[in-house]
Amino acid sequence: MTTGYDRIRLESLRDKVISAEKAADLIKDGMVVGSSGFTKAGDSKAVLPALAEKAKNEKIKITLMTGASLGHGTDGKLAEAGVLSKRMPFQVDKTLRDKINKGEILFIDQHLSESAELLHNKNLPPVDIAIIEAAFIDRDGSIVPTTSVGNSVTFAALAKHVIIEINTAVSEDVYGIHDIYQAENYPHRNVIPIVAPWNKIGRRSIPLDPNKVIGIVFTAKKDSPADIAEPDAKTTAIARHILQFFENEVHLGHLSDRLLPIQAGIGKVANAVLMGFKDSNFYDLTMFSEVLQDSTFDLIDSGKLSFASASSVTVSEACYERVFGNLQKYREKFVLRPQNISNTPGLIRRLGVIAINTAIEFDIYGNVNSTHISGTKIMNGIGGSGDFARNAYLSIFVTQAASKENAISHVLPMISHVDHTEHDVDILVTDIGLADLRGLAPRERAQAIIDNCAHPDYRDELQSYFDRACERGGHTPHLLEEAFSWHIRFSETGSMKK
Amino acid sequence: MTTGYDRIRLESLRDKVISAEKAADLIKDGMVVGSSGFTKAGDSKAVLPALAEKAKNEKIKITLMTGASLGHGTDGKLAEAGVLSKRMPFQVDKTLRDKINKGEILFIDQHLSESAELLHNKNLPPVDIAIIEAAFIDRDGSIVPTTSVGNSVTFAALAKHVIIEINTAVSEDVYGIHDIYQAENYPHRNVIPIVAPWNKIGRRSIPLDPNKVIGIVFTAKKDSPADIAEPDAKTTAIARHILQFFENEVHLGHLSDRLLPIQAGIGKVANAVLMGFKDSNFYDLTMFSEVLQDSTFDLIDSGKLSFASASSVTVSEACYERVFGNLQKYREKFVLRPQNISNTPGLIRRLGVIAINTAIEFDIYGNVNSTHISGTKIMNGIGGSGDFARNAYLSIFVTQAASKENAISHVLPMISHVDHTEHDVDILVTDIGLADLRGLAPRERAQAIIDNCAHPDYRDELQSYFDRACERGGHTPHLLEEAFSWHIRFSETGSMKK
Ligand SMILES: CC(C)(COP(=O)(O)OP(=O)(O)OC[C@H]1O[C@@H](n2cnc3c(N)ncnc32)[C@H](O)[C@@H]1OP(=O)(O)O)[C@@H](O)C(=O)NCCC(=O)NCCS
Ligand SMILES: CC(C)(COP(=O)(O)OP(=O)(O)OC[C@H]1O[C@@H](n2cnc3c(N)ncnc32)[C@H](O)[C@@H]1OP(=O)(O)O)[C@@H](O)C(=O)NCCC(=O)NCCS
């Protein structure tokens, strides 16, 4: 492994090396900054933290765009220091979230496939400075990214200036795990020629005009590790319902036992479902997803999963060592793409992806809220769930039926915020059971959801709501004056129970 | 023009000719029937009406799938006769709508691009009998459709049996205006090779196994004409706002004066916008839409529009004569495709479509309801609006600011049913003005919408709601206990005003 200056293979760029503090000084008040980083992977570990530090003593406010969430508490530090005036397209940080919900920081919650589109189409203000983590800079000035691709290709192409963070903790062997492709601008856009998850259609590094480079910073910090929650009774039950459903689809001849490419959202349910495949009869599985977690590599090891496509690798510390310490073993098994390719609607439909995402709550008609608590406070953001759910072959959403000692029902008369409409939701699963909504009209959906997904503590009340709404009529019967009464009761009494 | 048997060019099929009544007898209780017909164009004009007639004296219930809505009041007749147990994916009929809202008929409101997918993927029950209107049957048994393609290609491929309605009122010259293409089944689906609206990639007729034909019926009825509403003060104002917006985008260098392919929903606003282009500086415009209306052909005549792609031609009687009486003039100017191609997500994004659709109501955060009155009663259905809005280069929704002597505000604190989430809505327009929501966070969106779109009679109350909600906090501030108070007041007093 080489370190330092050897990683700047275009020698003329070597005099651009500066400290993180000097790089942070290049970022001025009012700028739009685009940074690498996707679900903690491949984020800026030097310049953005230095900016947060500097802002403790200096008023500076920026718009920050990334791939998705950042690691190392960086979003929190930036929020705390008052650096962020606007943030997009995704976050998962508690401090940042609180400030967003207080209205102190503006947040744009975007489909992860769309930020790059919006920039290319000039539907967002131009990026002043891009900060991109790299394993090394190649002789042609192009950059080899690290553990994620995110929106970096777009930032590199469109930003006026670029700061590169060379992370010497990442092996240069990552060369080749990325598939760097960008569609042409309108009106000259062509076909994206991917017909299977394993197709590689692009370059191995991100093209960059070396004249745009205003600073190169060295770091040697690893990505923040993913927190892996062990499967518990509820996630295991949810995973079991989903696997039984797949087995039945194979039995009915709807799917082969290779299934179709799988997308799995972040979190413990996704991990539990994937782990369930280990002891199943399915084989030669593939993933077309946005984040690869530990379970992906466990399934590769167990011989069940042949290939995984995504935009980042976000794994535990142990898994990180296993994968990036054995790249010769894994490199033909996965690929990292720009998020406007990993999540692009046309590919998701073309490949026939089976999408599994987590809901915060859903209603009796199958509308899903995956972002807002009580209709007002954002949790994380829609992420890629909309990209996948809308265009999937099958769109599955999961959540626990009830939580906080059953004070909260996650199956509701009406949800307080809609991210995914009933048109885009095929299967709903809780620890109680699975509702197969395909081919059902709203009133049939309601009965299937109440019968199969609701927690027993809430089933009668849901049924009563539905029955009384049906008496009043309508294609999608509701009692508007009562629709949010469960949320209101919860905020008043701490429980949704009467 | 030939008539009758000459139109059955595969001679072995000539002995399949039967009466509409006999054909209707082939449809049995419990069957799933797939019929041609898309926004009144190319629908079944003999067999379905005969079925409605027959059902007056006989209990028979079917599931009916079509392309989109039917003409000639057929949906109403079927509903009246009690034939329909389930209907999908779209309808616009008053009688049918009433029965859906009473819960007497089940309706599945589907994205128009998806019904064919769901059938191919066996996510819906198989089609027993297809009824397809044709201009003629070719020598190889394939069928040349008439004024729409809709889901007919899928019905012909998957139905166990097929009834063909040869409509001798349609000229055989329509041969060549259709581009019949179907993507491969999973997991072998390939690229759909369309990169511009005018690309033709398929056959000129719908492949059909002649052994599946169980009846051929002759008709000579034209499509129900479209009702063309003359532009009024409000639609003219909306169209003016949109055209000014486009002019400004060109001025800013975001778009060229060819714009990008346009999709326009049905109705008078779409017509008014398109008519506005007539006296504009735009040129060489194209459409990538689902329905072509009178305005499309007016724009072609005026030399402004070069090409239009859709799934049907739904025009007034005069326009019908003009187009289908002069096909040599128009045939190189438009094409009709299956609706899972005209509306496919990947093509809409690849082409960079500018989508203009009508809302029933929208809320201060830019969520759109295009289907339900007061959250419960369906109007028509989501149609293709979701296919286009979600994947468009720009997604524009329009509605009047207020109606019924301003007793109804169409801009609301919270909408009662969500079809399009704020993530998928870029521009909102009412007769009052246009709100450009690109790059705005929810609280900014709210202020832009209140300032630009709300009717003055309701502006202060909206502002008050928003201000009081902000005091309570949240990324998307709401007062859940008050969110639907406008709808509730309207149902109690007939007005949303306090
Ligand atoms: C939806 C999502 C937040 C669920 O994450 P999770 O960690 O499984 O969620 P939990 O069930 O633990 O709920 C999160 C919190 O919200 C709380 N909560 C959930 N529903 C609630 C409700 N109706 N009322 C009040 N609180 C609620 C939970 O109690 C929990 O609170 P805590 O952190 O204080 O324990 C997460 O999957 C997400 O952000 N999804 C959107 C992005 C996405 O889907 N991307 C997919 C592609 S990667
Ligand atoms: C949304 C849609 C119904 C609007 O159609 P329109 O004819 O322009 O609608 P109008 O403004 O005349 O409203 C329709 C009716 O609903 C009523 N209405 C609208 N909003 C209402 C509200 N909030 N409360 C009560 N009634 C309301 C209107 O008063 C009108 O009633 P009327 O027929 O008794 O006069 C129509 O565009 C549609 O069906 N869209 C969905 C499908 C689609 O967008 N396809 C696009 C691709 S083709």
Side-chain angles (χ1 to χ4, degrees):
Chain A
M1 191 164 70
T2 59
T3 52
Y5 283 73
D6 297 350
R7 294 196 180 214
I8 308 176
R9 300 189 188 168
L10 178 65
E11 292 185 16
S12 63
L13 281 182
R14 289 192 181 162
D15 62 2
K16 299 284 183 190
V17 174
I18 52 177
S19 67
E21 292 67 33
K22 278 258 181 298
D25 279 338
L26 297 169
I27 297 169
K28 308 289 181 202
D29 192 48
M31 277 189 171
V32 177
V33 176
S35 173
S36 64
F38 193 99
T39 53
K40 300 188 190 177
D43 55 343
S44 158
K45 297 167 183 79
V47 182
L48 287 181
L51 179 67
E53 204 53 45
K54 159 180 139 142
K56 287 183 180 165
N57 314 306
E58 193 184 325
K59 195 212 141 231
I60 171 165
K61 287 213 174 282
I62 62 167
T63 291
L64 178 62
M65 299 183 67
T66 53
S69 53
L70 304 176
H72 297 288
T74 301
D75 259 326
K77 289 176 198 153
L78 290 166
E80 200 61 67
V83 181
L84 303 176
S85 65
K86 202 174 253 189
R87 181 79 177 85
M88 63 192 96
F90 189 70
Q91 59 76 37
V92 300
D93 186 275
K94 185 166 170 6
T95 309
L96 173 53
R97 173 188 304 149
D98 286 349
K99 289 191 181 282
I100 291 169
N101 284 323
K102 282 193 186 126
E104 294 169 15
I105 295 174
L106 293 167
F107 176 63
I108 309 186
D109 184 18
Q110 268 162 359
H111 296 302
L112 292 184
S113 77
E114 287 193 359
S115 316
E117 298 290 323
L118 294 169
L119 282 174
H120 281 286
N121 301 344
K122 305 194 180 83
N123 287 334
L124 285 176
V127 176
D128 296 296
I129 293 192
I131 308 170
I132 301 176
E133 187 182 78
F136 64 91
I137 302 173
D138 214 341
R139 289 203 212 176
D140 57 0
S142 67
I143 27 185
V144 174
T146 59
T147 48
S148 72
V149 181
N151 282 320
S152 297
V153 187
T154 295
F155 295 150
L158 299 183
K160 288 166 213 150
H161 302 293
V162 177
I163 298 169
I164 303 172
E165 284 192 19
I166 295 186
N167 190 336
T168 56
V170 176
S171 159
E172 286 168 89
D173 290 350
V174 294
Y175 184 69
I177 68 168
H178 314 96
D179 187 36
I180 305 302
Y181 177 89
Q182 281 296 307
E184 301 78 6
N185 281 339
Y186 298 120
H188 300 295
R189 183 165 294 188
N190 223 311
V191 162
I192 302 172
I194 291 174
V195 296
W198 53 84
N199 292 167
K200 291 190 178 184
I201 60 169
R203 302 166 178 239
R204 295 180 163 195
S205 57
I206 299 175
L208 179 65
D209 173 0
N211 295 316
K212 295 211 276 189
V213 178
I214 53 170
I216 298 175
V217 175
F218 285 111
T219 60
K221 267 208 189 106
K222 286 197 178 138
D223 291 339
S224 291
D227 315 313
I228 303 298
E230 285 304 309
D232 58 21
K234 283 183 185 173
T235 54
T236 306
I238 291 172
R240 198 181 57 238
H241 299 314
I242 294 180
L243 284 163
Q244 274 170 2
F245 167 78
F246 286 147
E247 277 160 14
N248 198 44
E249 287 295 293
V250 173
H251 178 73
L252 294 170
H254 296 172
L255 284 168
S256 85
D257 44 17
R258 280 184 165 117
L259 299 181
L260 281 164
I262 294 164
Q263 177 259 337
I266 345 175
K268 51 188 182 177
V269 175
N271 261 323
V273 173
L274 290 183
M275 291 327 296
F277 282 118
K278 244 172 144 174
D279 308 308
S280 71
N281 284 322
F282 301 105
Y283 80 110
D284 198 13
L285 297 169
T286 58
M287 290 185 74
F288 193 80
S289 197
E290 64 182 35
V291 187
L292 302 183
Q293 301 177 272
D294 284 38
S295 49
T296 298
F297 297 96
D298 293 346
L299 275 186
I300 288 175
D301 288 349
S302 73
K304 286 285 174 194
L305 186 74
S306 310
F307 198 87
S309 163
S311 195
S312 83
V313 173
T314 303
V315 290
S316 67
E317 219 168 324
C319 186
Y320 188 98
E321 296 309 327
R322 198 166 100 221
V323 174
F324 291 100
N326 288 288
L327 265 180
Q328 75 289 1
K329 175 174 167 197
Y330 292 102
R331 62 188 313 126
E332 297 304 320
K333 301 284 187 183
F334 75 98
V335 67
L336 300 184
R337 311 180 187 278
Q339 69 198 72
N340 49 329
I341 303 295
S342 64
N343 288 27
T344 199
L347 296 181
I348 294 162
R349 183 164 291 186
R350 189 186 297 155
L351 269 57
V353 170
I354 296 174
I356 307 171
N357 289 290
T358 308
I360 285 180
E361 59 185 16
F362 55 76
D363 70 22
I364 52 172
Y365 297 108
N367 299 286
V368 168
N369 171 9
S370 49
T371 57
H372 283 66
I373 306 289
S374 294
T376 58
K377 293 204 161 65
I378 197 155
M379 192 69 200
N380 302 325
I382 196 165
S385 56
D387 292 322
F388 285 96
R390 165 61 66 90
N391 299 295
Y393 166 94
L394 268 181
S395 163
I396 303 175
F397 279 92
V398 304
T399 186
Q400 42 191 334
S403 68
K404 309 246 165 170
E405 295 175 337
N406 304 336
I408 296 175
S409 173
H410 295 258
V411 186
L412 290 147
M414 184 186 261
I415 51 174
S416 55
H417 179 92
V418 179
D419 290 298
H420 312 288
T421 70
E422 55 109 347
H423 310 282
D424 299 328
V425 179
D426 299 314
I427 310 281
L428 286 173
V429 194
T430 65
D431 43 312
I432 303 297
L434 179 148
D436 182 350
L437 308 174
R438 295 174 296 169
L440 301 189
R443 289 174 189 228
E444 296 173 300
R445 292 168 75 97
Q447 201 55 60
I449 291 169
I450 295 171
D451 291 345
N452 294 289
C453 298
H455 190 279
D457 286 5
Y458 291 97
R459 201 175 285 150
D460 291 346
E461 252 224 89
L462 282 173
Q463 187 71 49
S464 153
Y465 177 88
F466 175 55
D467 291 344
R468 286 177 295 119
C470 284
E471 272 167 36
R472 221 185 268 177
H475 174 57
T476 307
H478 268 303
L479 307 168
L480 288 190
E481 71 284 6
E482 213 181 288
F484 293 143
S485 58
W486 296 33
H487 295 94
I488 293 167
R489 205 179 302 135
F490 176 72
S491 80
E492 285 169 2
T493 70
S495 171
M496 290 188 177
K497 289 192 181 159
K498 259 200 181 148
Chain B
M1 191 163 72
T2 58
T3 53
Y5 282 74
D6 297 350
R7 293 195 179 214
I8 308 175
R9 299 190 188 167
L10 178 64
E11 291 186 17
S12 63
L13 281 181
R14 288 191 182 162
D15 62 3
K16 300 282 183 189
V17 174
I18 52 177
S19 67
E21 291 67 33
K22 278 258 182 297
D25 280 338
L26 298 169
I27 298 170
K28 307 290 181 200
D29 191 48
M31 278 188 170
V32 176
V33 176
S35 172
S36 65
F38 192 100
T39 54
K40 298 189 192 176
D43 56 343
S44 158
K45 298 169 183 78
V47 182
L48 287 181
L51 179 66
E53 203 54 44
K54 160 180 137 141
K56 286 182 181 165
N57 313 307
E58 192 184 325
K59 195 211 141 236
I60 170 164
K61 287 216 175 279
I62 63 166
T63 292
L64 178 63
M65 301 184 66
T66 53
S69 53
L70 304 176
H72 296 289
T74 301
D75 259 327
K77 288 177 201 154
L78 290 166
E80 201 59 70
V83 181
L84 303 176
S85 64
K86 201 172 253 187
R87 181 76 176 87
M88 62 191 98
F90 189 70
Q91 60 75 37
V92 299
D93 186 275
K94 185 164 169 10
T95 308
L96 172 54
R97 173 188 303 149
D98 286 348
K99 288 191 182 282
I100 292 169
N101 285 323
K102 283 194 186 125
E104 294 169 14
I105 295 174
L106 294 166
F107 177 61
I108 307 185
D109 183 19
Q110 269 163 356
H111 297 302
L112 293 185
S113 76
E114 288 193 358
S115 317
E117 297 290 324
L118 294 170
L119 281 174
H120 281 286
N121 300 344
K122 305 195 180 78
N123 287 334
L124 285 176
V127 176
D128 295 296
I129 294 192
I131 308 170
I132 302 175
E133 189 183 77
F136 64 92
I137 302 172
D138 214 340
R139 289 204 214 176
D140 59 359
S142 67
I143 26 188
V144 175
T146 58
T147 48
S148 72
V149 181
N151 283 319
S152 297
V153 187
T154 295
F155 295 149
L158 300 183
K160 289 167 214 149
H161 302 291
V162 177
I163 297 168
I164 303 172
E165 285 192 20
I166 295 187
N167 190 337
T168 55
V170 176
S171 159
E172 286 167 89
D173 290 351
V174 295
Y175 185 70
I177 67 170
H178 315 97
D179 187 36
I180 304 302
Y181 177 89
Q182 280 298 305
E184 301 77 6
N185 280 339
Y186 297 120
H188 300 295
R189 183 168 293 189
N190 222 312
V191 162
I192 302 172
I194 291 174
V195 296
W198 52 85
N199 292 166
K200 292 190 180 184
I201 60 171
R203 304 167 178 236
R204 296 181 163 194
S205 57
I206 299 175
L208 179 65
D209 172 358
N211 295 316
K212 295 212 277 190
V213 178
I214 53 170
I216 299 175
V217 175
F218 286 111
T219 60
K221 268 207 190 104
K222 285 196 181 142
D223 290 339
S224 291
D227 315 313
I228 304 298
E230 285 304 310
D232 56 23
K234 284 184 184 173
T235 55
T236 307
I238 291 172
R240 197 181 57 240
H241 299 313
I242 293 180
L243 284 162
Q244 274 170 2
F245 167 79
F246 286 146
E247 278 160 13
N248 197 44
E249 288 294 294
V250 173
H251 178 72
L252 294 170
H254 296 171
L255 284 169
S256 85
D257 44 17
R258 282 184 163 115
L259 298 180
L260 280 166
I262 294 164
Q263 176 260 338
I266 346 175
K268 51 189 185 179
V269 176
N271 261 323
V273 173
L274 291 183
M275 291 326 296
F277 282 118
K278 243 173 144 173
D279 307 310
S280 71
N281 284 322
F282 301 104
Y283 81 109
D284 198 13
L285 297 169
T286 56
M287 291 185 74
F288 193 80
S289 197
E290 62 181 36
V291 186
L292 303 182
Q293 301 177 269
D294 284 37
S295 49
T296 298
F297 297 95
D298 292 347
L299 275 186
I300 288 175
D301 288 349
S302 73
K304 286 284 176 195
L305 186 74
S306 308
F307 197 88
S309 163
S311 195
S312 82
V313 173
T314 303
V315 290
S316 68
E317 218 168 324
C319 187
Y320 187 99
E321 296 309 327
R322 198 166 101 224
V323 174
F324 291 99
N326 288 288
L327 265 180
Q328 74 291 1
K329 176 173 166 198
Y330 291 103
R331 60 189 314 127
E332 298 304 320
K333 301 285 188 184
F334 76 99
V335 66
L336 301 184
R337 310 181 188 278
Q339 68 197 69
N340 49 328
I341 304 295
S342 64
N343 285 29
T344 200
L347 296 181
I348 293 163
R349 183 163 291 186
R350 188 187 298 155
L351 269 58
V353 170
I354 297 174
I356 308 170
N357 289 290
T358 308
I360 284 179
E361 59 184 17
F362 54 77
D363 70 24
I364 54 173
Y365 297 108
N367 300 288
V368 169
N369 171 9
S370 48
T371 58
H372 282 67
I373 306 292
S374 293
T376 58
K377 293 205 161 66
I378 197 154
M379 192 69 201
N380 301 325
I382 197 166
S385 56
D387 292 320
F388 285 96
R390 163 62 66 92
N391 299 295
Y393 166 95
L394 269 181
S395 163
I396 304 174
F397 278 92
V398 304
T399 186
Q400 43 191 334
S403 69
K404 309 246 165 172
E405 293 174 341
N406 304 336
I408 296 176
S409 173
H410 296 257
V411 187
L412 289 148
M414 185 186 261
I415 51 174
S416 55
H417 179 92
V418 179
D419 291 297
H420 311 290
T421 71
E422 55 109 347
H423 311 281
D424 300 327
V425 178
D426 299 313
I427 311 281
L428 286 174
V429 194
T430 64
D431 43 312
I432 302 297
L434 179 149
D436 182 351
L437 308 175
R438 294 173 296 169
L440 302 188
R443 288 173 189 229
E444 297 174 298
R445 292 168 75 97
Q447 201 56 60
I449 291 169
I450 294 170
D451 290 346
N452 294 290
C453 298
H455 191 279
D457 286 5
Y458 290 97
R459 202 176 283 149
D460 291 347
E461 251 224 90
L462 281 173
Q463 187 71 49
S464 153
Y465 177 89
F466 175 55
D467 292 343
R468 287 179 293 119
C470 284
E471 273 167 35
R472 220 184 267 177
H475 174 58
T476 308
H478 268 303
L479 308 169
L480 288 191
E481 72 283 8
E482 213 181 288
F484 293 143
S485 58
W486 297 31
H487 294 94
I488 294 167
R489 205 180 301 135
F490 177 71
S491 80
E492 284 169 1
T493 70
S495 171
M496 290 188 178
K497 288 192 182 158
K498 259 197 181 151

